[in-house]
Amino acid sequence: AQSVAQPEDQVNVAEGNPLTVKCTYSVSGNPYLFWYVQYPNRGLQFLLKYITGDNLVKGSYGFEAEFNKSQTSFHLKKPSALVSDSALYFCAVRDLLPAGFKTIFGAGTRLFVKA
Amino acid sequence: DVKVTQSSRYLVKRTGEKVFLECVQDMDHENMFWYRQDPGLGLRLIYFSYDVKMKEKGDIPEGYSVSREKKERFSLILESASTNQTSMYLCASSLLSLTGRLETQYFGPGTRLLVL
């Protein structure tokens, strides 16, 4: 069965420290992988995506993510966290089915960055 | 910039009422989606549409219907609202590229629905 897992409900990090938000996936075929961010009372905003090519993907607001096929992971990272990064982060995977319309979202990880 | 708007930010309805949630996108996207977001469950796909008058069921279509009469507008209908439909509803749209691969989804701000 296709699935996405975000094993941490919440991640706490001090401002200026590196952050990692974890995501693992299980799909058939080659996946498209995404990270979205949701700030309070807002819709989701696209951060970055992996389709093919380099395993390290750079996205908006200084975020990057590393695709690891052997570990079926796509962890989101940032070298130096900001208080304004505090938000809800969703990992998503889109499987390349013939219809191509299935997008699976993780349950979300809430990131708290403390000053 | 892509803009996806939803008709209401907050709605309060009574059990049994028929509820309409409207979504409009201004970038000529082929694909449009309705999700509901609940704590601990992430986003779950209710319905999607890949063309005018075309619709497909998502993971949780029960109790919902949709309408897409124009390319830019995708409506979600709760035929008879129930308390378990209290949730945040998110609309999204995306292009369908020439390769048939879906592009990034762009989301509206969401509608928080409370059914009493």
Side-chain angles (χ1 to χ4, degrees), chain A residues 32 34 36 38 41-46 49 51 88 90 94 96 100-103 105-108, chain B residues 9-10 31 33 35 37 40-43 45 48 50 59 90 101-105 107-109 112:
Chain A
Y32 278 0
F34 298 78
Y36 289 85
Q38 185 179 34
N41 299 314
R42 304 279 291 277
L44 273 69
Q45 297 177 34
F46 168 76
K49 66 182 175 184
I51 299 175
L88 187 57
F90 290 96
R94 195 172 297 158
L96 295 178
F101 293 110
K102 187 73 170 180
T103 299
F105 285 85
Chain B
R9 294 299 301 273
Y10 301 95
N31 303 315
F33 308 83
Y35 295 90
Q37 181 184 6
L41 297 177
L43 274 70
L45 182 64
F48 63 90
Y50 51 89
D59 297 318
L90 293 169
R101 296 178 171 180
L102 292 180
E103 298 293 341
T104 303
Q105 293 186 25
F107 284 82
R112 193 169 292 280

Side-chain angles (χ1 to χ4, degrees), chain A residues 11 14 18-19 35 46-47 54 58 60 68 72 75 82 86 94 98 103 108 111 114:
Chain A
V11 170
L19 70 87
W35 276 101
F46 168 76
L47 272 182
D54 288 341
K58 293 192 183 297
S60 307
N68 188 317
T72 61
H75 300 330
L82 299 172
S86 298
R94 195 172 297 158
T103 299
L111 173 67
K114 195 158 56 173

Side-chain angles (χ1 to χ4, degrees), chain A residues 59-71:
Chain A
S60 307
Y61 313 122
F63 283 93
E64 58 189 27
E66 187 170 9
F67 172 66
N68 188 317
K69 189 172 184 178
S70 62
Q71 297 185 3

